[in-house]
Amino acid sequence: MGNNPLRDPRDRRLPQIAGPCSIVIFGITGDLARRKLIPAIYDLANRGLLPPGFALVGFARQDTRHEDFVEYAREAVKAGARTPWHETTWKQMAAGLRCVYGSFDEDESWEKLVSKLQEIDDERGTGGNHAFYLSIPPALFPLVVSKLKKHGLAQSSGAWRRVVIEKPFGHDLASAQELNALVAEVFPRESVFRIDHYLGKETVQNILAFRFANGMFEPLWNSNYVDHVQITMAEDIGIGSRAAYYDGIGAARDVIQNHLLQLMARIAMEEPVSFNANSLQIEKQKILANARPPARMDLHTAHAQYEEGWAGGVEVLGYKQELDIPAHSTTETFAAMRIDIATRRWAGVPFYLRTGKRLGRRVTEVAVVFQRAPHQPFGRNDTEELGQNALVMRIQPDEGVTLRFGAKVPGTAMEIRDVSMDFAYGGAFVESSPEAYERLILDVLLGDPPLFPQVEEVELAWKILDPVIDHWARSKGIDTYASGTWGPESADKMMARDGRTWRRP
């Protein structure tokens, strides 16, 4: 299809190209930058979505030659890019690569960064437009934000400056509010992008399309028909080399506070008047403001650590045997809880959230489980173990939607059995989905905020989670579960008290 000169350039169906700009990545030699950020920037360039003069500036501790930094970026692209290797694209990207070496607490290092950005503005035509990506440990956020302000990098006359902050945004409500206050002193609200890579996944965005573009589902999306909702993010791996980050954080802070509560908000929200950032945030905030943590923490929460066991046919260590984990650690690697939403639509419908490491397999899904039919005119022997209808949205790895329902078994008898009708992204669309960081980085450069949680959402999520974490801190000990299983017995008992069971994805 050729270009149509009559089409509105604001049409969101057309890919938007970022204007003159650069991105500065603090922590350029870290795991996230190497595996995700640098490859995503190459993919954007490969798709023609970055301007020719785009520049990528790294801030690193260890001084190396420029040629070595370029080779490091080349290897990262080769290992992680989703689009094909094109030498022309790489040469264009490499021409805009720069690196500043130093320490975050040394003003001399920041003066070098200021000088480097001025040089880039002159040589690459970036016009003073710079995004600062904080791919660093959360403890360093306040220092870096303060230094950006001190050295005049947070604002520029006639140009934009934006800051990208990775999760976790604080470790509780008080610390999140403190960090929000600091950031608000340095950057205007519209220039702050709190990044949650899950929100950039195509299947997460499809939740809203699925709900509001199809007339057959929305009439059932309420307490008259829905029995409960299960939201699961399971990983089959352990903590690996992340002990320094993970211990003291745990599964609830790492996953539930951001990923799972954001998924819950999208599943439960009312229809927005549009899909712009403000309209989406209003509806999500209503859900988070009316979400209630369990009234009985001892009955409707569970937390545990994985022990040694078998995963993928390999014998693996328990959490406390992992490198650099203290023997007395009570950090949870599994967390589950019941959340109730105090609105007319969802009154009496529990939302069960769970996440864990070293579970049966890697999967993220949302399962909307419907109530049983009020009357079934079948004989006792006609429906063996007939379950409830369920609509399952698979976020990863096998992206798609499954609808489970009862159907008649071929034959002369009226025998009913559960069957599944499946939609898979890979089989339905020729177009490949952009990687989450690819979409989110481009949105930052465009100044487009719909996929980024705002300050109110972050603080409301902590208000939900803080009472649960406080209860766990006061309780004695922590449960355990064998690696390769689906979590502790306490999580199964939590569901059994409500007369329900966890899905086996």
Side-chain angles (χ1 to χ4, degrees), residues 320-373:
K320 290 182 179 177
Q321 286 77 52
E322 300 278 17
L323 185 65
D324 297 328
I325 296 297
H328 60 275
S329 173
T330 58
T331 298
E332 80 281 357
T333 61
F334 177 97
M337 62 191 67
R338 168 178 169 161
I339 302 292
D340 289 272
I341 300 174
T343 64
R344 181 182 292 270
R345 180 188 289 264
W346 298 113
V349 178
F351 286 69
Y352 298 101
L353 281 54
R354 65 171 169 170
T355 183
K357 293 187 176 295
R358 287 282 186 229
L359 297 181
R361 73 183 186 93
R362 174 177 173 260
V363 62
T364 300
E365 67 171 33
V366 177
V368 180
V369 182
F370 293 90
Q371 296 178 15
R372 297 183 186 277

Side-chain angles (χ1 to χ4, degrees), residues 225-367:
Y225 300 98
V226 176
D227 180 76
H228 70 280
V229 178
Q230 295 185 27
I231 304 178
T232 298
M233 179 179 166
E235 297 180 275
D236 55 4
I237 60 173
I239 62 164
S241 60
R242 300 177 70 216
Y245 163 79
Y246 196 88
D247 195 60
I249 299 293
R253 288 187 176 99
D254 189 39
V255 175
I256 292 181
Q257 189 273 338
N258 37 75
H259 301 335
L260 299 197
L261 286 177
Q262 282 286 329
L263 287 175
M264 184 189 78
R266 280 162 169 72
I267 288 292
M269 64 185 277
E270 298 296 324
E271 183 176 1
V273 295
S274 75
F275 288 119
N276 64 40
N278 186 57
S279 297
L280 287 173
Q281 286 153 13
I282 287 173
E283 299 305 333
K284 287 191 294 177
Q285 287 170 28
K286 289 178 183 177
I287 294 301
L288 295 173
N290 287 286
R292 303 288 183 262
R296 288 288 304 272
M297 300 287 183
D298 55 333
L299 300 181
H300 284 118
T301 71
H303 69 308
Q305 291 177 345
Y306 63 82
E307 292 188 316
E308 56 271 12
W310 293 83
V314 178
E315 192 170 9
V316 296
L317 299 173
Y319 179 71
K320 290 182 179 177
Q321 286 77 52
E322 300 278 17
L323 185 65
D324 297 328
I325 296 297
H328 60 275
S329 173
T330 58
T331 298
E332 80 281 357
T333 61
F334 177 97
M337 62 191 67
R338 168 178 169 161
I339 302 292
D340 289 272
I341 300 174
T343 64
R344 181 182 292 270
R345 180 188 289 264
W346 298 113
V349 178
F351 286 69
Y352 298 101
L353 281 54
R354 65 171 169 170
T355 183
K357 293 187 176 295
R358 287 282 186 229
L359 297 181
R361 73 183 186 93
R362 174 177 173 260
V363 62
T364 300
E365 67 171 33
V366 177

Side-chain angles (χ1 to χ4, degrees), residues 20 121 126-130 154-162:
D121 287 338
T126 47
N129 300 319
H130 304 293
Q155 295 183 358
S156 178
S157 177
W160 56 256
R161 301 291 169 89
R162 296 170 187 146

Side-chain angles (χ1 to χ4, degrees), residues 24-30 38 56-73 97-117:
V24 180
I25 299 180
F26 297 97
I28 189 69
T29 58
I38 297 174
L56 167 59
V57 182
F59 195 115
R61 290 179 178 273
Q62 187 174 357
D63 193 357
T64 60
R65 296 184 309 157
H66 175 73
E67 293 78 7
D68 293 334
F69 175 66
V70 172
E71 182 59 27
Y72 162 77
L97 291 177
R98 304 288 189 276
C99 198
V100 172
Y101 302 98
S103 175
F104 294 150
D105 57 2
E106 294 178 355
D107 287 334
E108 181 183 354
S109 301
W110 289 92
E111 290 166 2
K112 288 192 291 185
L113 178 60
V114 171
S115 176
K116 185 68 68 176
L117 293 181

Side-chain angles (χ1 to χ4, degrees), residues 230 354 365 367 369 390 392 404 486 495 501-505:
Q230 295 185 27
R354 65 171 169 170
E365 67 171 33
V369 182
V392 182
R404 188 182 70 191
W486 282 99
M495 294 291 280
T501 59
W502 291 108
R503 277 179 42 82
R504 287 292 181 264

Side-chain angles (χ1 to χ4, degrees), residues 12 192-206 208 258-259 262 266 275-278 280-281 284 434-444 447-454 457:
R12 294 293 293 175
V192 180
F193 292 77
R194 298 166 183 83
I195 201 163
D196 181 344
H197 73 276
Y198 251 66
L199 306 187
K201 290 182 177 293
E202 199 73 24
T203 41
V204 172
Q205 298 172 52
N206 187 53
L208 300 184
N258 37 75
H259 301 335
Q262 282 286 329
R266 280 162 169 72
F275 288 119
N276 64 40
N278 186 57
L280 287 173
Q281 286 153 13
K284 287 191 294 177
E435 204 274 341
Y437 278 104
E438 190 180 334
R439 169 69 183 270
L440 293 171
I441 289 173
L442 180 60
D443 282 353
V444 169
D448 195 17
L451 300 181
F452 297 84
Q454 292 299 306
E457 297 171 60

